[in-house]
Amino acid sequence: MLQLVVRRLAAMVPLLFLVSLIVFGLVLLVPGDPAITIAGENATQAQIEATRERLGLNDSLLEQYWRWASHAVQGDLGTSMFSNRSVSGAIAERFPATVSLTAVAIAMALLISVPAAVAAATSRGRWLDRFATVGTSVGVAMPNFWLGLLLATALALNLRLLPATGYVPLDDDPVAWLAHLLLPGFTLGLAAAAELTRQLRSSLIDVFDQDYLRTARAKGLRTTSVIAKHALKNAATPVVTVLGMRISVLLGGTVVVEQIFGIPGLGQLAITAVLQRDLPMVQGVVVVTAVMVMLANLAVDLSYGYLNPKVRAQ
């Protein structure tokens, strides 16, 4: 396991280099000149040129990238062109909100998908199974921005059951933290729950036909014990794979959901940086998000060792 972790962490280095190159190139394609935006539309040409010189925009692209990358490997992601604050500090300030939202979305996806998949697999071909199949199709097809607006209007504005916008740090008030994240977490987690339900149902049906489960039933074990101790663990490997792929989708989905529910996370920070053409901020947010996705995929790979002893042996 230690060798696997070391190999995966080493493989992250060239991948992060490639991601940073792509982001650096794409950001340069965004129309507009940040020097004009910072200096103001009424600024003289001399003021604009002075701003470009101060920001280092007159340097070659290779020099600009090398200056940013050489500082990034030391943990310094640069300074915002507009707020003149540290990019690392701004990301650290917004990071807990995005991680909390993603964690709540994953938790809600699992809380919905596991019981639904078990119920559908144990009722194969009956009305409950058909209902779950239709429900997963609806969940996958439903746009999260539409669902978020619907939930905010119905449950927050009309019924006033939950807060409509805002974020409370976990350290300040755990109850308020969860209350502010329930609606956006459900908005993000519903599509993931639908996909996980579909995958887990298929895996459970395959596992139910295995000989060792027939033996367990023949020995007189209760159905709940057979499912909890034997079936779920063996059916979880492909589900964990899907969950790992969904994490990147969830992180990307926070951009829209954070805007709808007014959560000050990395999504809002990224949108503001793109609109302002704040190159260091955009690069920093994307690189940090890429690291989060890579670490999540590493955790998924490590979980295979727990779920499948053959992986540990290899």
Side-chain angles (χ1 to χ4, degrees):
M1 282 296 176
L2 181 59
Q3 293 179 354
L4 173 64
V5 173
V6 172
R7 286 199 303 268
R8 291 303 175 89
L9 291 177
M12 289 173 58
V13 176
L15 185 56
L16 282 175
F17 171 72
L18 182 60
V19 168
S20 64
L21 275 179
I22 294 174
V23 173
F24 185 81
L26 291 177
V27 169
L28 294 177
L29 297 178
V30 177
D33 188 345
I36 297 177
T37 306
I38 294 174
E41 295 182 357
N42 298 324
T44 64
Q45 187 62 33
Q47 291 173 325
I48 295 174
E49 289 299 326
T51 303
R52 290 184 61 84
E53 185 66 30
R54 176 173 60 85
L55 297 176
L57 298 177
N58 289 328
D59 299 335
S60 66
L61 297 181
L62 183 60
E63 289 176 331
Q64 293 182 46
Y65 176 77
W66 174 253
R67 181 170 57 245
W68 176 83
S70 60
H71 289 85
V73 296
Q74 304 175 41
D76 180 11
L77 296 175
T79 304
S80 171
M81 291 181 176
F82 289 84
S83 62
N84 203 31
R85 63 175 302 188
S86 168
V87 173
S88 302
I91 292 176
E93 182 181 310
R94 304 291 189 99
F95 186 77
T98 297
V99 172
S100 298
L101 177 56
T102 305
V104 170
I106 293 173
M108 298 192 74
L110 292 175
L111 289 174
I112 295 171
S113 62
V114 173
V118 171
T122 54
S123 306
R124 186 177 7 171
R126 295 198 288 270
W127 69 269
L128 189 57
D129 185 21
R130 298 191 189 96
F131 178 78
T133 302
V134 174
T136 55
S137 300
V138 173
V140 170
M142 188 177 299
N144 57 18
F145 68 88
W146 178 83
L147 178 62
L149 292 173
L150 182 64
L151 292 176
T153 303
L155 299 180
L157 299 180
N158 293 340
L159 299 179
R160 300 186 182 277
L161 297 177
L162 292 168
T165 59
Y167 171 77
V168 177
L170 178 62
D171 296 339
D172 292 350
D173 189 345
V175 176
W177 171 83
L178 182 60
H180 282 82
L181 291 176
L182 281 178
L183 289 182
F186 182 80
T187 301
L188 272 179
L190 183 62
E195 190 171 349
L196 291 174
T197 300
R198 183 181 297 176
Q199 184 65 46
L200 183 56
R201 172 193 172 275
S202 300
S203 299
L204 283 173
I205 290 175
D206 292 337
V207 170
F208 286 161
D209 293 333
Q210 300 297 319
D211 292 337
Y212 67 91
L213 279 189
R214 296 195 192 98
T215 303
R217 294 194 193 96
K219 289 167 60 178
L221 293 179
R222 292 181 299 176
T223 302
T224 55
S225 179
V226 171
I227 293 174
K229 293 184 178 180
H230 302 283
L232 276 177
K233 184 176 180 180
N234 289 282
T237 301
V239 177
V240 170
T241 303
V242 174
L243 182 61
M245 293 187 294
R246 290 296 307 185
I247 289 177
S248 59
V249 178
L250 290 175
L251 290 172
T254 59
V255 175
V256 177
V257 174
E258 285 177 4
Q259 288 291 104
I260 294 174
F261 291 96
I263 298 177
L266 294 180
Q268 279 194 351
L269 186 64
I271 290 177
T272 303
V274 170
L275 294 177
Q276 294 178 338
R277 210 168 184 267
D278 192 345
L279 308 185
M281 190 67 73
V282 174
Q283 291 168 331
V285 171
V286 173
V287 169
V288 169
T289 304
V291 171
M292 292 169 61
V293 173
M294 293 176 192
L295 293 177
N297 290 332
L298 176 60
V300 169
D301 292 339
L302 294 178
S303 67
Y304 292 153
Y306 168 75
L307 298 173
N308 190 350
K310 292 181 181 179
V311 176
R312 291 198 300 266
Q314 295 171 357

